[in-house]
Amino acid sequence: MCGIVGYLGEKEAFPLLIKGLKRLEYRGYDSAGIAVLGDDGKLQHHRRKGKVDDLLAHMEGRVPSGSLGIGHTRWATHGPPNDVNAHPHLSGDGQLALIHNGIIENYHALKETLVARGHTFYSDTDTEVLVHLIEEILKSSEDLDLFEATRVALNEVVGAYAIAVVDVARPGELILARKSSPLVIGIGDGEFFVASDATPIIEYTKNVVYLEDEEVAKVSLSSGLKIRTIKNHRVTPVITELEMAMESIEKGGYEHFMLKEIHEQPRSIADCLRGRLRLGHGAIRMAGIDDHQQMWTDAQRLIIVACGTSWHAGLIAEYMFEDFARIPVEVEYASEFRYRNPVIGEGDILIAISQSGETADTLAAIRMAKEKGAHVFGICNVVGSSISRESHSGAYTHAGPEIGVASTKAFTAQLAVLALCAIRVGRLRGALDEQRFNRLMVDLSGIPEKVEALMQLEPEIEKIAEEFKNAPNALFLGRGYNFPVALEGALKLKEISYIHAEGYPAAEMKHGPIALIDENMPVFIVATKDAHYDKVVSNIQEVKARGGKVIAIVTAGDSEVKSMADKTIEVHRADDAFVPLLSTIPFQLLSYHIAVKLERNVDQPRNLAKSVTVE
Ligand code: M6R
């Protein structure tokens, strides 16, 4: 939530900031702003409700000049999205400009103290309080410079922050800090880049330093990068090389990132399996499991925590681990799990699934589990993200950057990693015999090709989208492995088209949702040839008997469902456990085309943000 960019060097900062903000806009897009320090010592400060393009339109061609600047794209928490609440926020004397991602939980108390000391606030934000607090500390002690004043101020702050601060009096330096919100510093040749993630930086340098929690950094043209903890311990910066490719963050000829990412799935799933699924050796190599074999063999229970789409992947994983490894599994919304008093301890393995690796609730859940003695296995897409760094072990999904807010390729890559883990653990615990193990490996290795084949169905799916785009509601049904696919289908449709959609286990329909069914209700149902096929056929009949419209995902060659359903979409046959990797694709394409036809902002749907770093 919220995107932060910064630049200090010799180039003009403004174009870099705007480009960076556009790359980060997926993180939040209700207002945007920049502050650039000119060579004349004047701060050029512009903010606007809306997107980065609205900011540019508002600036009417005025291009701020200067080689130190910060920029922000906001996802509102404190106060509505408007010009005044947009970042950067300034100190009372206008000398400091600050951008912030996160929430200052004790901002109210801090604000009252500052008001009592004569500070005036113009916005509703917690951020403005922080910049005034730094100003207050700076003014109250002549011995403190901006770096020190920021460090001292952050000791008074409760909450989450990634910040960048510019001081008019210090044109050669930029102050940064983070706690629970990500911040990456790019180290160039005589220049520094700062951003919430590496996408705005990759074009200029591959050398980055990921700031850790409660660290404050100063980047200076004269003295380079210096880091201390907020408790004033010196930290030696660790430079990491980025592996991201430029093409992966561009649309590459597609109209939207979401469509590009849907089409990337044959490759992203193959990338995820590569090197891990070793058909020739009859083995699966998962470092995070291989290095802790005894622990996985002895584990009493798995607890999976995640949010949103990642939680749906967790539900499918529950079926996989139970099926392949015969190990009890609980799947929890991270936001619920962390606020309970769950019984958890040594012998439990907590699997945290998160595309961004920054989701606040998931991060908090893993911290709690670690405190209680559980081993944390993180499954993340973003390399170097907080969850990946705070987990004891784990696996990356290697899907490449996912820019569309609606998760698509990250979801299928999560399923692929989870399938590998479940099969590997199943073999380790002796629950899978060699024959089934080999069969599963062969089946899984064929998935990318089957996903590729599904892309050919796009024109057909687009026609279905045209037919159902004006439905006010939609129901998604599935059983077994395809129940979470129904949940994911409904989430996808609602988040990008704003059509109300609900996902249910097909058998639950008759316990309530059936009351909704009439001729205006499209029912999207996964009816592939699996262990539940006959039961799903009965559910389809129940819908048809009440006049509902059935759009069914079926196994290639199916004739029974075809004779009943209004529309069918064929997927190739696969092991039941891997069908979700196929059956989810038509739902992604369907949601995408419905949203496009309704002229929605597909990549940046209203009210959402890609990375939910607030609780
Ligand atoms: O980055 P994470 O996987 O932790 O994010 C979890 C959810 O916020 C995310 O999956 C969200 O539900 C997506 N918008 C779904 O498309």
Side-chain angles (χ1 to χ4, degrees), residues 3 88 128 203 257 315 362 366 375 418 459 477 511 585 588 614:
E128 194 183 13
E203 194 172 342
F257 278 110
L315 287 179
T362 311
I366 73 171
H375 180 94
L418 288 160
L477 302 175
H511 297 287
I585 309 280
Q588 294 173 350
V614 297

Side-chain angles (χ1 to χ4, degrees), residues 288-597:
I289 296 173
D290 300 339
D291 297 347
H292 303 273
Q293 294 191 23
Q294 201 56 51
M295 181 192 74
W296 284 92
T297 310
D298 297 343
Q300 298 299 306
R301 185 174 59 146
L302 302 181
I303 300 166
I304 299 179
V305 292
C307 303
T309 290
S310 298
W311 183 76
H312 297 153
L315 287 179
I316 295 171
E318 178 181 24
Y319 292 51
M320 291 174 176
F321 276 104
E322 286 181 356
D323 192 2
F324 302 157
R326 305 303 301 142
I327 183 167
V329 184
E330 285 169 27
V331 187
E332 304 265 2
Y333 282 118
S335 54
E336 288 297 316
F337 178 79
R338 60 175 292 203
Y339 290 116
R340 291 208 320 267
N341 185 13
V343 181
I344 174 171
E346 286 171 27
D348 288 328
I349 299 177
L350 181 125
I351 301 180
I353 310 172
S354 174
Q355 186 284 130
S356 61
E358 302 294 346
T359 301
D361 285 318
T362 311
L363 197 52
I366 73 171
R367 286 176 182 159
M368 182 173 89
K370 277 168 81 175
E371 267 170 32
K372 289 176 184 273
H375 180 94
V376 174
F377 185 87
I379 297 181
C380 299
N381 192 39
V382 177
V383 176
S385 56
S386 302
I387 292 174
S388 67
R389 284 182 292 142
E390 292 200 24
S391 298
H392 296 112
S393 61
Y396 282 118
T397 45
H398 297 309
E402 189 180 68
I403 313 276
V405 163
S407 191
T408 53
K409 66 174 180 173
F411 176 61
T412 47
Q414 286 167 348
L415 295 184
V417 163
L418 288 160
L420 289 166
C421 292
I423 301 170
R424 176 75 184 97
V425 174
R427 189 74 185 121
L428 203 56
R429 293 168 70 98
L432 279 181
D433 63 30
E434 197 175 343
Q435 224 184 354
R436 182 145 190 239
F437 176 76
N438 287 333
R439 250 201 340 265
L440 287 171
M441 286 214 303
V442 171
D443 215 90
L444 188 54
S445 70
I447 292 295
E449 210 177 313
K450 290 176 183 172
V451 173
E452 181 73 66
L454 279 169
M455 300 303 165
Q456 310 309 315
L457 302 182
E458 193 173 352
E460 196 182 310
I461 294 172
E462 196 179 341
K463 281 189 201 144
I464 300 177
E466 178 63 33
E467 197 167 326
F468 293 100
K469 67 176 191 217
N470 293 319
N473 301 290
L475 200 56
F476 285 75
L477 302 175
R479 276 176 181 250
Y481 278 106
N482 284 304
F483 154 53
V485 172
L487 296 182
E488 175 60 10
L491 177 65
K492 222 69 316 163
L493 185 65
K494 78 182 105 181
E495 73 179 324
I496 60 167
S497 74
Y498 318 146
I499 292 174
H500 170 242
E502 290 196 52
Y504 265 94
E508 275 294 304
M509 182 184 63
K510 54 187 165 298
H511 297 287
I514 199 162
L516 298 171
I517 290 174
D518 62 15
E519 60 286 356
N520 299 316
M521 174 68 101
V523 180
F524 299 93
I525 183 160
V526 186
T528 46
K529 283 255 166 76
D530 58 20
H532 305 277
Y533 180 74
D534 293 338
K535 302 281 177 210
V536 175
V537 168
S538 306
N539 298 139
I540 292 175
Q541 274 163 342
E542 289 156 12
V543 175
K544 289 308 297 175
R546 285 155 185 87
K549 296 270 186 301
V550 170
I551 303 95
I553 295 181
V554 298
T555 306
D558 179 287
S559 54
E560 193 175 351
V561 173
K562 265 193 181 158
S563 67
M564 289 184 275
D566 297 85
K567 306 274 171 203
T568 51
I569 301 166
E570 287 192 350
V571 300
H572 279 289
R573 194 178 282 275
D575 187 279
D576 288 5
F578 309 142
V579 169
L581 281 150
L582 306 175
S583 53
T584 202
I585 309 280
F587 287 161
Q588 294 173 350
L589 284 167
L590 192 84
S591 303
Y592 171 79
H593 283 291
I594 289 179
V596 169
K597 286 174 193 301

Side-chain angles (χ1 to χ4, degrees), residues 108-137:
H108 193 69
L110 293 171
K111 191 171 185 175
E112 279 182 350
T113 312
L114 288 164
V115 167
R117 288 187 191 154
H119 289 255
T120 306
F121 294 93
Y122 300 97
S123 78
D124 307 312
T125 66
D126 49 345
T127 306
E128 194 183 13
V129 174
L130 181 54
V131 68
H132 278 248
L133 178 64
I134 296 171
E135 175 189 25
E136 177 70 21
I137 292 170

